[in-house]
Amino acid sequence: MPTIVSVDDSTVPGEGSSRLLLLVSSDNKHIVVEEDIMSRSRFISKQVEGFEATSQRHAILLPFSSFVLNKVIEYCSHYRGYYLLEDDPDAAPPGRSPVREWDQEFLDVDRNMLLRIIKAAHYLEIKSLVGSCARAIADMIRGKTTEEMREILGVENDFTPEEEHSPSSKCTG
Amino acid sequence: MNEANPPIAHLPPELLVSIFASLADESSVYETDWTVVTHVCRAWRHIALDHPILWRHVNFTDDDAWTRELCLRSQSVSISVLWNVEEAPYSPIKADILLAHLVHTEQLTLLVDDDSHHITTTLTFPAPALHTFSVFSSGQSEVDIPTNLFDSYSPKLHQVAIDRCSRFPWSSPVLNNVVVFNLSNVVDFPLGEDGGFLAALERMSVLKTLSISSVEPYSFVTGNTPSHQHAELSHVSRLTLSCDVTDCVAFFQRVRLSPAVSLDLSAVSTSSSDSIRTLLRAIKSAGVNTDEHAVSLELTSSCPGFVCVQTYNVERPTEQDKEFPAFYIAFLWSEERELDALDVTKAICATFSLAHLQALNVNIRGPQWCAALPLWMDLFGASRSISTLTVSGREGALVCAALTQAYDDGTKKWGPVVHGTVATYFLPTLTNLEIDRDALSFTLLGESAPLHQLLPQWLKQREDAGLVALRALTLDGYGGVTPEWIADLKIAFPSLAITVY
């Protein structure tokens, strides 16, 4: 559960349908963003619903840095007002995540940043961004050997020799 | 959430599943390359094996045990099954595996051959999850489909593609909910049989897309009992038909279609204008409103001495042609064959009644075409309603020059504008003229000068002669005009729309 602190109204002024939210990153940066922009996040939407119930507005503390948070806000800003099937809670999940050219450029970042973004997207429940990140990570390891995959993504081989070569462990044809 | 340096091993399992799923989806669907992730580390292996959704694409392999293992890993999630007998030869064990998992099979694709076309005869168990069923044959034998296909229970079956299945049990209720239906390699397939194919199409009340291709010539007419009954197919919104003109005609004569149906026809003809006309009449008799909706027809003809493909876009009919809509005809000659241009041109003249022609686009290549120039003159001259004529190709300019001479002799009523290797002729009924940057010269009554110098004179001459007034003039990159020239032209011809790029 996120930590929620009270904020006074002057910090987060309400302006009808385009109200502002105060997001606080793990490095204690305060970022004000329009509620509409972040409505793609199921997590944020649920927080806002909570505000409605209590008639109090709060800052939302998030467990990732402002650098990562700003990337997520950039994504949400780009798709502000766009309908993306993956983010529709009432729609059936698509069979495969669609390829969006803008996303590919947006996610042309290093491995660690990509992993941070997908974790943040997962935390914020932005399925479209999770899908695009997953595709980008898959692209990094597609066609690679197990050793190359370990190297690219920093994974340790923790198989015992028996596990690795046991006939019962066959996983590929 | 520690994000200082997040190794991928620390990602929640559901994110790793998303990554693996993306890896599986992006490879050729039935490839198992993605399963290499199970050899990276223990966590990845456990996650991969614990999530049956990752194993939903099952490609039958030569190894029966591995095929069974793949199916078992999918547990009860909906699966897509591909069994290509060229890669995974038929075995009773594989057939048993197929049937054992039919209950949660969502897509089933079978690629069979002459030695395995009986695989389908075993499909007599219910398929409650089946959405897509495809059978393709690389052999020549008909694929056997049992009368009790899927035990007559496949309520979710929306898409069917069958190949060499002319003896399909058309009365089977498994077709009732099909939305997309593709039928290919049809042989000896009379449409008149009671309870047959057309009756099945009629019963498929939610069918939207119908495609019939590679029909053996005369399959629809052999042994056909003439019938005045029509199958009501007004629910079909898109029809693709690829067969002999005779079979096309037979099909359209037996069905009623929506006036707004989207037609995509590819017909083979023995190059008789009668067959083309008969086909167009049959399309109309099937209820298709060609007045309002375009019909795409690619007609492949084989005449003695040449092969040609003609593309018709059947558009709105005009006052000049009540019987048939205007045609746009493009002749694309096969360059692989030595063609007798004279014969080809004669054939064109014999095939089409140019009185109905409104637009003609001819691509002329090869010096032999020059020999046919006199016939081309007759061909073009026969038309009284062409408003757009474009001659292109390497020898287009030669044809253009000859027509220019004819015009100058006063024997014809049109003159050409030449730009590059493309020559556009404007005729008495011409209404739109486009000129590009390469239109350097213009010949009018023996006088040769830059186009823009003679164009006003030519327009005036048309007006004086009572010819159809030019309504639109487009100058696309033509460098010879000035704003003053355009202004003067607008004053002289106020109803002429002038566009300059």
Side-chain angles (χ1 to χ4, degrees):
Chain A
M1 288 294 293
T3 305
I4 296 177
V5 298
S6 294
V7 292
D8 63 40
D9 287 345
S10 62
T11 310
V12 188
E15 290 185 14
S17 60
S18 62
R19 290 179 301 189
L20 301 178
L21 293 173
L22 177 61
L23 307 180
V24 182
S25 62
S26 62
D27 51 350
N28 202 31
K29 295 282 169 44
H30 289 210
I31 299 173
V32 176
V33 60
E34 286 184 64
E35 187 182 310
D36 281 355
I37 291 174
M38 296 309 294
S39 62
R40 190 169 298 283
S41 160
R42 290 291 301 150
F43 171 81
I44 297 287
S45 295
K46 283 186 271 189
Q47 296 300 313
V48 170
E49 284 171 17
F51 298 159
E52 308 287 346
T54 61
S55 300
Q56 279 191 303
R57 300 187 65 74
H58 306 282
I60 301 174
L61 300 191
L62 297 169
F64 35 84
S65 70
S66 56
F67 191 59
V68 175
L69 178 55
N70 277 320
K71 280 293 279 185
V72 175
I73 292 172
E74 182 187 348
Y75 176 87
C76 291
S77 299
H78 179 78
Y79 286 112
R80 182 182 192 175
Y82 277 77
Y83 175 83
L84 300 180
L85 180 66
E86 310 98 288
D87 293 327
D88 184 345
D90 299 322
R96 63 170 64 182
S97 182
V99 179
R100 284 184 284 269
E101 197 174 329
W102 186 86
D103 290 14
Q104 289 177 323
E105 289 183 21
F106 173 72
L107 295 173
D108 186 14
V109 295
D110 65 43
R111 175 198 73 175
N112 285 344
M113 188 60 188
L114 194 53
L115 294 176
R116 287 178 186 132
I117 294 173
I118 194 173
K119 287 173 88 169
H122 179 62
Y123 185 89
L124 291 169
E125 299 177 61
I126 305 173
K127 288 187 177 177
S128 58
L129 183 53
V130 168
S132 292
C133 288
R135 181 191 294 276
I137 295 168
D139 287 344
M140 292 168 71
I141 59 174
R142 179 168 296 111
K144 299 290 192 290
T145 65
T146 53
E147 198 52 53
E148 288 169 332
M149 287 185 182
R150 289 179 192 127
E151 193 175 322
I152 291 168
L153 292 175
V155 180
E156 186 183 346
N157 179 6
D158 54 0
F159 285 125
T160 65
E162 292 75 24
E163 284 175 322
E164 198 155 16
H165 302 296
S166 165
S168 64
S169 70
K170 178 180 178 181
C171 286
T172 52
Chain B
M1 190 167 79
N2 175 22
E3 63 166 311
N5 189 16
I8 196 164
H10 293 170
L11 290 184
E14 55 267 38
L15 287 184
L16 282 171
V17 171
S18 292
I19 294 166
F20 295 164
S22 189
L23 205 55
D25 284 344
E26 286 303 303
S27 49
S28 176
V29 169
Y30 294 99
E31 295 293 333
T32 54
D33 298 351
W34 73 272
T35 57
V36 71
V37 302
T38 60
H39 294 279
V40 170
C41 66
R42 283 178 180 170
W44 285 27
R45 176 174 294 181
H46 287 310
I47 287 167
L49 294 178
D50 287 348
H51 288 81
I53 192 76
L54 295 172
W55 303 89
R56 65 187 183 277
H57 302 299
V58 181
N59 186 4
F60 278 31
T61 70
D62 193 19
D63 183 342
D64 288 350
W66 177 237
T67 299
R68 186 188 301 279
E69 178 65 20
L70 284 172
C71 284
L72 289 174
R73 286 180 186 173
S74 71
Q75 297 182 22
S76 59
V77 300
S78 296
I79 56 173
S80 303
V81 172
L82 170 64
W83 185 356
N84 179 355
V85 294
E86 289 186 0
E87 295 175 1
Y90 174 80
S91 76
I93 294 175
K94 284 196 200 69
D96 287 345
I97 295 170
L98 178 70
L99 296 179
H101 292 273
L102 195 55
V103 69
H104 66 113
T105 300
E106 192 176 56
Q107 291 184 37
L108 175 58
T109 304
L110 300 174
L111 280 68
V112 301
D113 57 17
D114 282 338
D115 297 326
S116 59
H117 61 89
H118 59 284
I119 288 177
T120 48
T121 61
T122 63
L123 298 173
T124 57
F125 290 80
L130 194 64
H131 178 277
T132 302
F133 175 52
S134 307
V135 182
F136 301 101
S137 173
S138 60
Q140 297 299 315
S141 305
E142 281 288 303
V143 178
D144 296 324
I145 305 288
T147 53
N148 58 337
L149 179 66
F150 303 131
D151 198 23
S152 301
Y153 187 72
S154 54
K156 295 182 179 175
L157 187 57
H158 282 184
Q159 195 161 330
V160 172
I162 53 176
D163 181 57
R164 297 189 190 282
C165 294
S166 300
R167 295 194 298 269
F168 194 90
W170 298 114
S171 57
S172 171
V174 301
L175 295 174
N176 287 355
N177 296 323
V178 170
V179 177
V180 179
F181 189 64
N182 296 313
L183 180 68
S184 56
N185 281 307
V186 177
V187 180
D188 191 13
F189 196 68
L191 297 174
E193 288 185 353
D194 291 337
F197 175 56
L198 290 181
L201 293 180
E202 201 170 32
R203 280 196 307 276
M204 295 158 71
S205 58
V206 292
L207 182 66
K208 295 297 176 200
T209 302
L210 172 63
S211 172
I212 306 172
S213 60
S214 302
V215 179
E216 189 75 12
Y218 306 108
S219 289
F220 285 167
V221 291
T222 303
N224 200 355
T225 308
S227 171
H228 297 295
Q229 290 190 327
H230 294 86
E232 182 59 51
L233 302 184
S234 57
H235 46 286
V236 174
S237 57
R238 181 171 182 79
L239 170 64
T240 301
L241 196 55
S242 173
C243 57
D244 189 274
V245 163
T246 309
D247 293 299
C248 271
V249 170
F251 183 83
F252 284 111
Q253 285 176 339
R254 295 298 315 281
V255 299
R256 282 275 182 267
L257 294 163
S258 162
V261 67
S262 169
L263 283 184
D264 190 355
L265 307 181
S266 178
V268 178
S269 162
T270 51
S271 190
S272 150
S273 59
D274 287 343
S275 66
I276 298 163
R277 290 161 188 276
T278 304
L279 173 59
L280 291 169
R281 285 197 188 100
I283 293 171
K284 280 195 159 187
S285 75
V288 180
N289 186 352
T290 54
D291 298 2
E292 299 290 341
H293 301 279
V295 176
S296 170
L297 166 61
E298 184 177 285
L299 183 67
T300 304
S301 301
S302 54
C303 262
F306 74 98
V307 172
C308 71
V309 176
Q310 301 132 10
T311 302
Y312 298 74
N313 282 319
V314 182
E315 298 166 348
R316 297 174 68 91
T318 64
E319 286 301 314
Q320 292 94 334
D321 187 352
K322 289 290 188 187
E323 184 185 12
F324 294 109
F327 300 149
Y328 172 85
I329 303 180
F331 298 90
L332 304 172
W333 307 101
S334 166
E335 291 192 274
E336 296 173 1
R337 297 180 56 173
E338 284 296 322
L339 304 179
D340 186 324
L342 207 57
D343 284 348
V344 172
T345 311
K346 282 179 184 174
I348 294 171
C349 293
T351 302
F352 299 102
S353 169
L354 294 177
H356 301 301
L357 207 59
Q358 292 228 322
L360 182 59
N361 180 332
V362 188
N363 190 334
I364 298 176
R365 294 182 181 190
Q368 75 271 28
W369 285 96
C370 296
L373 277 178
L375 272 175
W376 280 105
M377 305 292 286
D378 290 342
L379 181 75
F380 300 148
S383 173
R384 291 292 174 268
S385 56
I386 290 179
S387 61
T388 301
L389 169 61
T390 301
V391 182
S392 59
R394 289 191 295 269
E395 275 65 39
L398 294 173
V399 176
C400 169
L403 291 175
T404 302
Q405 186 61 45
Y407 179 87
D408 291 344
D409 291 346
T411 55
K412 301 296 174 189
K413 292 182 178 177
W414 63 81
V417 172
V418 182
H419 36 112
T421 58
V422 180
T424 301
Y425 299 82
F426 40 100
L427 307 180
T429 47
L430 187 74
T431 54
N432 299 290
L433 175 61
E434 289 189 21
I435 299 167
D436 73 10
R437 66 179 70 246
D438 296 322
L440 299 176
S441 63
F442 181 69
T443 306
L444 182 66
L445 296 175
E447 189 178 353
S448 184
L451 175 72
H452 64 281
Q453 289 184 14
L454 290 174
L455 196 61
Q457 185 184 344
W458 175 77
L459 288 170
K460 182 71 170 62
Q461 196 174 53
R462 285 180 65 92
E463 196 172 77
D464 293 345
L467 301 181
V468 174
L470 198 69
R471 288 198 289 268
L473 173 66
T474 303
L475 300 169
D476 185 3
Y478 178 77
V481 301
T482 61
E484 292 75 23
W485 180 87
I486 295 170
D488 289 345
L489 201 63
K490 283 183 174 174
I491 292 169
F493 305 96
S495 61
L496 179 66
I498 303 172
T499 307
V500 180
Y501 297 110

